[in-house]
Amino acid sequence: MKPIAATSLALLFALTASAETNWGRFRGPNGTGLADTTGLPATVDESTTAWKVPMGKGWSSPALWGNMVVVTAETDASKRAVIALSAADGKELWRHEEAFVPHNIHKTYNTFASSSAFIDAERIYINWSTGTTIQALALDHTGKLVWKNEHVADYIHEHGTGISPVVADGIMIVRSEFDWQRDGKVYTEDPEQQKWKTCFVGLDAKTGKQVWKTELPNCLNTFSTPVVHELKDGKKEFICANTGSGVMGIDVTTGKINWQHNPGYKQRSLGSGVLSDEFYFCTFGTGGGVKEIAALDLKSGKPVSVPFDIPKGLPYVPSPLVIGEHMYLLGDGGILRCVEFKTGKVIYEERVEGTAGSAKFFSSPVAADGKIFCASQQGDLIVIKAGPKFEKLAASKLDGPVNSVPAIGDKHIFVRTANSLYSIGAKGQPVP
């Protein structure tokens, strides 16, 4: 394949990224991980750190709307908060704190503030777990509580929760997918909990009241966040993936399952899928286990499985990144594969190394300005040049490991470590 000229690559970014600079959800516009901006630095140092502020425990990814950056964080042993900061200088604008009931989580890789916010022009939406329930709430842009649904659905915890909300056409989808059996044995001793069903719930975005509920078979705990697919008739569907039900198109208005692909997946859905040019791709896996994929053509409105060369070392946790005709698959162990978008043919596979050598990744790559940003568990921000030839531009050491996904605004990238939130961009540049 011939290399793409720099001008063509810039055009591809413009075509595939949203024209909006808002990054209002997990992984930005419809979960693509792409932003349409320029002037992003490749290195992080004093000259490119616009600001850096301490941040409480939590792995939620930053969400941006105008001059506001929103994260969630634990503030006490049984309290957590939605926190809004000024994108211009990092000063706290407001916070909304909620009490929660602690429960089982993966103490190394999860927190009680791992679900990211969804922001639109009217509200900020949150879902998270407390005790054995999923809770949802909405705030206005000043931090005032608009509504709270204390018990959207039941939930049994294996490693805690982490799915982020998505809103489309006035409906907020909340996912509650879990397994109460393991190797034929009941996972919980409470017989009442055996009656609980995994489900999708559609809430009215204005009131938080349930509009619909779609029950599903019990499955391995799911952590992937949906994307929105617009059909030819203008209607929309949430595309969701899990072990027991496969990949599904869920009607936004009614919760009806429009289509279902391969309910036979045996492994867990952690990394979120990506939708580009009516092509949907996602991976399934287990820690260190064999990976499965879905590669679906949705042009007809129904899923058509596409032949796809499955490379070794597919990502388990990081989500795929599509830029034009290329898809980038960043494996948890640090191998980055650039493949042809709709065929899977490998163009290159290279190890992404940090400042001290080998790196591992739970954070998903994001891209803008011809650069791919990869944040590692070793606390590095590694920048790769987008295109069919591997070129590492820089690796910079941050102050702690990164499991959340960076957010990209106008000429700035926001990275959350275990200790801080960074705004990276030339100092003095305006932030809208």
Side-chain angles (χ1 to χ4, degrees):
M1 182 172 292
K2 295 180 180 179
I4 298 176
T7 53
S8 298
L9 189 60
L11 177 60
L12 287 175
F13 268 97
L15 291 175
T16 52
S18 168
E20 297 288 335
T21 56
N22 292 323
W23 189 278
R25 56 154 285 172
F26 176 73
R27 295 198 75 221
N30 203 26
T32 60
L34 299 177
D36 186 10
T37 189
T38 58
L40 295 176
T43 58
V44 183
D45 55 28
E46 185 177 350
S47 69
T48 59
T49 302
W51 51 260
K52 173 186 168 185
V53 297
M55 188 55 55
K57 185 178 180 181
W59 284 128
S60 66
S61 301
L64 310 175
W65 195 270
N67 189 45
M68 182 171 59
V69 185
V70 176
V71 293
T72 63
E74 296 180 28
T75 55
D76 203 342
S78 58
K79 291 183 179 180
R80 58 193 166 193
V82 184
I83 303 169
L85 306 172
S86 166
D89 56 20
K91 292 181 179 178
E92 185 171 316
L93 301 174
W94 52 260
R95 68 172 54 198
H96 174 86
E97 194 170 56
E98 292 274 347
F100 70 91
V101 178
H103 51 69
N104 291 335
I105 63 171
H106 195 297
K107 296 186 183 300
T108 303
Y109 297 131
N110 207 356
T111 69
F112 292 107
S114 292
S115 300
S116 305
F118 184 101
I119 312 175
D120 62 19
E122 298 175 285
R123 290 172 284 272
I124 299 162
Y125 306 87
I126 302 290
N127 63 217
W128 45 25
S129 50
T130 175
T132 55
T133 68
I134 300 291
Q135 180 189 81
L137 55 92
L139 310 170
D140 67 17
H141 282 216
T142 68
K144 180 182 178 181
L145 182 67
V146 178
W147 56 259
K148 181 164 64 172
N149 188 321
E150 293 277 14
H151 189 161
V152 179
D154 300 315
Y155 193 83
I156 295 175
H157 301 272
E158 182 182 7
H159 299 309
T161 54
I163 298 175
S164 301
V166 174
V167 177
D169 288 349
I171 298 294
M172 173 182 176
I173 186 171
V174 180
R175 303 180 65 170
S176 178
E177 294 146 275
F178 53 84
D179 184 19
W180 50 261
Q181 290 190 349
R182 196 77 72 248
D183 299 324
K185 298 179 181 179
V186 177
Y187 183 63
T188 173
E189 296 179 358
D190 185 350
E192 284 300 309
Q193 293 182 8
Q194 298 173 34
K195 300 177 183 178
W196 293 356
K197 294 289 186 180
T198 75
C199 61
F200 301 142
V201 179
L203 302 180
D204 185 318
K206 292 182 179 179
T207 66
K209 294 181 179 179
Q210 180 178 306
V211 177
W212 51 259
K213 181 178 182 179
T214 301
E215 291 189 349
L216 302 163
N218 286 353
C219 66
L220 295 175
N221 294 62
T222 301
F223 292 86
S224 58
T225 295
V227 297
V228 178
H229 179 220
E230 184 168 349
L231 305 174
K232 292 180 180 179
D233 60 6
K235 293 182 179 179
K236 294 177 182 177
E237 61 187 8
F238 298 112
I239 300 181
C240 306
N242 78 22
T243 308
S245 302
V247 183
M248 295 157 282
I250 309 296
D251 185 276
V252 166
T253 304
T254 66
K256 175 187 174 183
I257 300 177
N258 291 337
W259 53 263
Q260 196 168 7
H261 169 76
N262 190 14
Y265 286 112
K266 302 298 183 184
Q267 304 193 58
R268 196 188 307 271
S269 176
L270 260 73
S272 298
V274 65
L275 176 68
S276 180
D277 190 31
E278 296 295 307
F279 182 85
Y280 176 83
F281 182 88
C282 71
T283 64
F284 298 81
T286 56
V290 177
K291 309 299 190 297
E292 301 171 290
I293 69 161
L296 304 175
D297 186 333
L298 300 176
K299 283 188 174 65
S300 68
K302 300 294 182 181
V304 177
S305 186
V306 174
F308 196 89
D309 292 343
I310 303 176
K312 296 180 180 179
L314 283 169
Y316 175 40
V317 180
S319 304
L321 178 71
V322 175
I323 306 172
E325 63 189 83
H326 299 138
M327 179 158 62
Y328 299 85
L329 302 170
L330 178 61
D332 304 45
I335 301 297
L336 176 65
R337 290 171 177 84
C338 175
V339 305
E340 290 183 357
F341 172 36
K342 296 184 180 180
T343 71
K345 180 181 177 181
V346 174
I347 298 170
Y348 72 67
E349 49 184 45
E350 299 283 349
R351 180 169 294 281
V352 177
E353 294 188 332
T355 56
S358 297
K360 294 185 178 181
F361 299 87
F362 276 1
S363 175
S364 301
V366 296
D369 193 26
K371 304 178 181 75
I372 299 172
F373 297 87
C374 309
S376 78
Q377 290 182 295
Q378 286 64 48
D380 290 309
L381 183 65
I382 305 158
V383 183
I384 308 298
K385 185 176 180 179
K389 182 179 179 180
F390 180 81
E391 182 181 346
K392 184 172 124 178
L393 299 177
S396 304
K397 191 69 174 178
L398 306 180
D399 71 355
V402 182
N403 282 350
S404 60
V405 177
I408 302 176
D410 185 25
K411 295 180 172 56
H412 288 71
I413 182 168
F414 299 84
V415 183
R416 182 181 189 171
T417 71
N419 304 301
S420 306
L421 179 64
Y422 286 75
S423 172
I424 300 164
K427 292 182 178 180
Q429 288 183 343
V431 178

